[in-house]
Amino acid sequence: MTLPYVEIDGRPADAENLLVPALTGGYGHFTAMQVRDGRVRGLAHHLTRLDRATRELFGPGLDGERIRSLTRQALEACGRSDAAVRVYVYGPADAPTPMVVVNEPVDMPSTAQSLLSVPYERPVAHLKHLGGFAQGYYVRLAERQGFTEALLTGPGGVVAEGAITNVAFWDGGSVVWPNRPALLGITMAVLEPRLAAYGLKSAHREVTLAGLDTYSAAFIMNSRGIAPVGRIDEREFAVDAELMKVVWRAYEEAPWDVI
């Protein structure tokens, strides 16, 4: 079956039910996951994210078992056990509507990524909401200038997050996470609590563009995986092979959950 494959509230997408997302004005939220052999890392985090965001945006919650069932159904309908899956939730307010989109699986490149800092922070940053115009704009701006990702910053060059990633820095003793308002990505949520067991300390504090020389290495992460950072603007970072080996291992050894 040709991908992407889309089901809305358990029904294959058609002209009638596509009116639901088409007429919502971009008001909604989503989660993105990589599925391998019908399994997902951090599934409970995805289901909790969807439920909490649905309650905040619409009032009623969203049953996690229903989302698992709808996701399994969509995967089975297109004959895929490996896929990139997004679950969107749209209005109306009294009946939030889930949409499952199945696409080809994709992994994060393991090569060093380059980030262009931009003066923007996402509104309502704790939600993975649909108001992503500025993120898309800045990612394309970064790509046109030879970078692979945009780094969102606040007043005074305070680092928040990547446009579509979380970012972490290494100061030689701890993995440092910027403490500006940002989305808690699922990969970050899975990885950070595991670092201590692999010998890495973790800290949250202010990170600024002016203070990047404090850090010897950095890496980014999203649903596709984790990659080292080789450059932020004109500041180059050496890829710390030992650090990345431990970070990748901590994440790759995290359990996979059956959908």
Side-chain angles (χ1 to χ4, degrees):
M1 181 179 291
T2 302
L3 298 183
Y5 174 74
V6 181
E7 288 190 357
I8 299 176
D9 207 13
R11 291 173 46 208
D14 56 29
E16 179 182 353
N17 60 17
L18 278 172
L19 286 174
V20 176
L23 298 177
T24 60
Y27 189 80
H29 64 92
F30 72 102
T31 197
M33 62 188 82
Q34 292 295 320
V35 179
R36 301 293 183 271
D37 193 26
R39 299 169 183 264
V40 176
R41 285 193 184 98
L43 179 60
H45 292 293
H46 286 287
L47 299 179
T48 298
R49 166 190 279 175
L50 291 170
D51 179 56
R52 287 178 176 171
T54 301
R55 291 176 186 276
E56 182 169 345
L57 294 182
F58 300 109
L62 194 63
D63 180 63
E65 288 306 310
R66 180 181 175 218
I67 294 302
R68 291 178 70 184
S69 176
L70 291 174
T71 303
R72 286 195 304 269
Q73 175 179 300
L75 288 167
E76 290 168 2
C78 58
R80 302 292 176 126
S81 59
D82 294 350
V85 172
R86 289 191 172 199
V87 179
Y88 295 87
V89 182
Y90 298 92
D94 60 346
T97 302
M99 178 172 76
V100 180
V101 179
V102 181
N103 222 321
E104 296 289 353
V106 61
D107 294 311
M108 177 79 81
S110 60
T111 52
Q113 305 295 291
S114 54
L115 282 56
L116 175 69
S117 65
V118 298
Y120 176 74
E121 292 182 288
R122 293 190 313 112
V124 201
H126 65 287
L127 295 178
K128 195 172 181 70
H129 54 73
L130 300 181
F133 168 80
Q135 292 162 259
Y137 174 85
Y138 282 121
V139 167
R140 285 160 180 77
L141 177 69
E143 291 173 346
R144 289 197 298 269
Q145 297 187 31
F147 294 82
T148 55
E149 164 70 313
L151 181 66
L152 308 185
T153 66
V158 179
V159 173
E161 57 188 331
I164 56 172
T165 58
N166 287 116
V167 61
F169 297 85
W170 175 245
D171 67 3
S174 298
V175 173
V176 177
W177 309 87
N179 63 0
R180 291 291 290 180
L183 180 73
L184 175 59
I186 303 302
T187 297
M188 177 180 170
V190 170
L191 174 66
E192 186 185 3
R194 298 177 58 82
L195 292 178
Y198 290 79
L200 295 178
K201 296 179 181 178
S202 189
H204 290 252
R205 62 173 181 258
E206 183 176 272
V207 176
T208 65
L209 295 175
L212 289 182
D213 286 344
T214 303
Y215 307 100
S216 59
F219 57 94
I220 57 173
M221 69 221 73
N222 62 17
S223 64
R224 299 178 300 163
I226 304 170
V229 170
R231 178 165 63 110
I232 297 177
D233 297 334
E234 300 308 313
R235 166 65 161 90
E236 294 188 355
F237 289 88
V239 174
D240 189 322
E242 288 303 311
L243 171 67
M244 293 310 303
K245 181 179 179 180
V246 176
V247 169
W248 277 324
R249 181 184 169 203
Y251 182 63
E252 289 168 1
E253 292 182 356
W256 291 79
D257 306 309
V258 177
I259 294 176

